[in-house]
Amino acid sequence: MEDDAHDDQGIPRHLPAEAAGRRWLLKLVLVVAIAVFALSMAFVLVYGTSLPWLPALLISGALAAAQVYALRRTLFRGDGRT
């Protein structure tokens, strides 16, 4: 049996710059997803309950902010410095 049989050189490693770029891309995708979520919820509130646009946007914005908080804690663990 070879000495380096359990070496992990085959595992691809990301450089710190690549990891930061991927983290930035994930955050951008999160922002777009939350914006689409908030606008669709406001649309449903306006046409489903006859609320005016401003209260519907405020309600959906508050609910989207809560969603962002929950998703950030789930997807971006760590100290948050990056």
Side-chain angles (χ1 to χ4, degrees), residues 41-72:
M41 192 180 339
F43 180 81
V44 168
L45 285 173
V46 166
Y47 291 105
T49 64
S50 300
L51 270 175
W53 273 100
L54 185 60
L57 285 173
L58 291 174
I59 291 168
S60 65
L63 292 172
Q67 191 75 11
V68 167
Y69 179 77
L71 284 175
R72 271 194 81 230

Side-chain angles (χ1 to χ4, degrees), residues 24-40:
W24 179 83
L25 182 64
L26 281 174
K27 286 184 180 183
L28 181 65
V29 168
L30 177 65
V31 166
V32 170
I34 294 301
V36 169
F37 174 70
L39 286 175
S40 65

Side-chain angles (χ1 to χ4, degrees), residues 12-22:
R13 305 223 186 265
H14 299 292
L15 298 173
E18 289 179 16
R22 289 174 191 242

